[in-house]
């Protein structure tokens, strides 16, 4: 039987991940429509105290001006003994542009504060659909400007600020990096994009392969992009900052790390983004994890493939931060 563009055969899930997947049924946004956003927003995210555990780290909140001066909160996570300027990691959380909060995925920040003595800033950007484009990415850019402006008092080396995000946060990180380049704003030392959500057009093969399966599928992706862009989704009226896959010039970007599952919607757009950075003469490292579903390394951290992915990400960070 031949497959139309609408129904290509999905690449299979890696066996260990496939065995874990049924436990997530009903708790992950598959086939999410706009009327279900509130349901998924209500899913609990571990509080930062739980993610920090008994490690000697602290989390301090600041209220800062976001886009157009509207107040927003950022949290600064650092080691309690942090005493001299170190790397800064600016974090944008995932959640399909519509869900979650600044502590989603913050366990990585706690780990990197401990390992690299990094000061991590995570931002409570405003979410769609209540706050459509350009508000989310502009909030993220405002937070980056604040972090850079206050680097000295936060004991951050202003020359070593990295941006990090996963999923929607990866898309916002890529968009914020493009804004920083084009506005000649804060100079970024690196960008770390996990399975980034960067293409509103949803015309890749992988965007059609994953429907009704995995952790995040085609319907949910269309819902998230529509919440952000409304009727502009898929038209020519979408900026590169909202959907970085639309950028035709990816020169002048900092060293970039991209990882993605081979069995998820975002596979092809992630591969294309890395390829476009290389084509522009830039530096990028790309990992495509065979059989991995969206967000696998956080959803199933004990799986062997997740441990390999986390180790690769941390090794890249270590190599980058060893540069002078």
């Amino acid at each position: 039987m031949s497959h139309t563009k609408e129904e290509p055969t999905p690449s299979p899930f890696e066996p260990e991940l496939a065995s874990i997947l049924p436990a997530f049924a009903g708790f992950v946004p598959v086939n999410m429509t706009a009327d279900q956003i509130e349901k998924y927003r209500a899913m609990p995210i571990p509080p930062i105290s739980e993610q920090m555990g008994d490690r000697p780290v602290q989390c301090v909140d600041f209220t800062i001006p976001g886009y157009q001066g509207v107040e927003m909160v950022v949290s600064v996570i650092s080691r309690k003994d942090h005493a001299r300027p170190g790397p800064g990691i600016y974090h944008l959380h995932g959640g399909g542009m519509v869900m979650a909060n600044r502590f989603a995925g913050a366990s990585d920040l706690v780990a990197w504060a401990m390992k690299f003595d990094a000061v991590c800033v995570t931002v409570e950007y405003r979410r769609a659909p209540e706050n459509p484009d350009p508000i989310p990415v502009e909030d993220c850019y405002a937070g980056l400007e604040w972090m850079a402006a206050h680097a000295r008092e936060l004991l951050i080396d202003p020359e070593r600020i990295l941006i990090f995000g996963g999923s929607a946060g990866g898309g916002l990180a890529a968009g914020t990096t493009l804004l920083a380049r084009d506005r000649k704003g804060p100079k970024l030392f690196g960008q770390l994009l996990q399975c980034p959500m960067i293409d509103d057009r949803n015309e890749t093969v992988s965007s059609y392969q994953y429907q009704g399966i995995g952790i995040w599928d085609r319907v949910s992706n269309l819902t998230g992009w529509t919440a952000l862009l409304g009727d502009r989704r898929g038209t020519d009226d979408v900026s590169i900052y909202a959907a970085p896959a639309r950028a035709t010039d990816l020169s002048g970007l900092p060293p970039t790390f991209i990882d993605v599952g081979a069995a998820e919607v975002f596979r092809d757009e992630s591969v294309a983004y890395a390829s476009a950075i290389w084509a522009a003469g830039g530096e990028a490292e790309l990992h495509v994890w065979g059989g991995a579903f969206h967000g696998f390394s956080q959803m199933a951290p004990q799986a062997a493939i997740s441990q390999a992915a986390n180790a690769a990400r941390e090794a890249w960070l270590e190599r980058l931060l060893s540069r002078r």
Side-chain angles (χ1 to χ4, degrees):
M1 174 185 161
S2 65
H3 288 277
T4 65
K5 184 179 180 186
E6 281 70 28
E7 48 177 44
T9 304
S11 173
F13 295 122
E14 188 272 340
E16 188 180 10
L17 292 180
S19 71
I20 293 167
L21 206 46
F24 295 123
F27 297 100
V28 291
V30 174
N31 282 318
M32 181 182 74
T33 50
D35 61 320
Q36 294 175 317
I37 289 173
E38 286 303 328
K39 169 192 165 183
Y40 288 108
R41 279 183 178 174
M43 296 286 178
I45 289 165
I48 189 61
S49 56
E50 186 179 313
Q51 296 186 60
M52 293 192 299
D54 58 3
R55 287 173 288 188
V57 291
Q58 60 192 357
C59 178
V60 181
D61 291 347
F62 294 85
T63 300
I64 70 166
Y67 179 49
Q68 297 180 328
V70 175
E71 287 188 344
M72 65 180 184
V73 176
V74 298
S75 293
V76 179
I77 297 167
S78 61
R79 279 190 355 199
K80 289 180 177 175
D81 65 354
H82 182 74
R84 57 194 173 89
I89 297 176
Y90 182 56
H91 174 246
L92 310 174
H93 71 80
M97 304 289 179
V98 298
M99 302 173 288
N101 64 33
R102 67 190 183 279
F103 297 127
S107 55
D108 285 331
L109 308 180
V110 176
W112 295 339
M114 289 298 302
K115 183 174 176 109
F116 301 118
D117 197 16
V119 176
C120 303
V121 178
T122 184
V123 60
E124 199 66 64
Y125 61 83
R126 285 171 285 173
R127 304 171 303 191
E130 298 87 345
N131 301 284
D133 176 67
I135 294 171
V137 73
E138 290 285 2
D139 273 354
C140 294
Y141 183 73
L144 176 64
E145 285 195 307
W146 176 87
M147 180 180 180
H150 294 81
R152 298 289 180 201
E153 63 204 71
L154 294 171
L155 288 179
I156 292 170
D157 178 348
E159 302 294 312
R160 295 159 73 75
I161 295 176
L162 292 93
I163 195 166
F164 162 52
S167 194
L172 290 165
T176 300
T177 300
L178 291 170
L179 280 173
R181 178 195 70 178
D182 295 347
R183 292 176 179 172
K184 300 186 168 40
K187 187 165 167 48
L188 287 163
F189 191 62
Q191 63 171 341
L192 202 169
L193 311 177
Q194 278 183 272
C195 48
M197 178 179 178
I198 52 177
D199 196 343
D200 66 295
R201 294 164 295 193
N202 292 286
E203 287 299 321
T204 63
V205 171
S206 61
S207 77
Y208 283 96
Q209 280 180 301
Y210 295 92
Q211 173 45 44
I213 55 173
I215 297 292
W216 178 258
D217 69 344
R218 179 176 180 80
V219 165
S220 300
N221 203 42
L222 291 169
T223 297
W225 279 114
T226 303
L228 184 72
L229 298 170
D231 293 341
R232 293 187 294 127
R233 177 181 62 74
T235 71
D236 293 336
D237 188 22
V238 175
S239 82
I240 65 170
Y241 312 115
R246 290 172 170 268
T248 54
D249 173 15
L250 291 182
S251 63
L253 298 181
T256 299
F257 179 98
I258 299 173
D259 66 358
V260 68
E264 67 161 299
V265 167
F266 298 137
R267 178 193 68 216
D268 294 347
E269 60 204 67
S270 296
V271 172
Y273 204 67
S275 298
I277 292 173
W278 295 321
E283 180 188 340
E285 180 168 323
L286 170 68
H287 293 261
V288 183
W289 296 95
F293 52 64
H294 181 66
F296 68 102
S297 60
Q298 285 186 328
M299 301 293 291
Q302 300 312 313
I305 193 171
S306 302
Q307 292 182 29
N310 288 328
R313 194 179 307 125
E314 203 159 274
W316 177 83
L317 260 180
E318 197 156 14
R319 288 194 303 277
L320 184 69
L321 291 174
S322 70
R323 296 182 188 181
R324 289 295 161 202

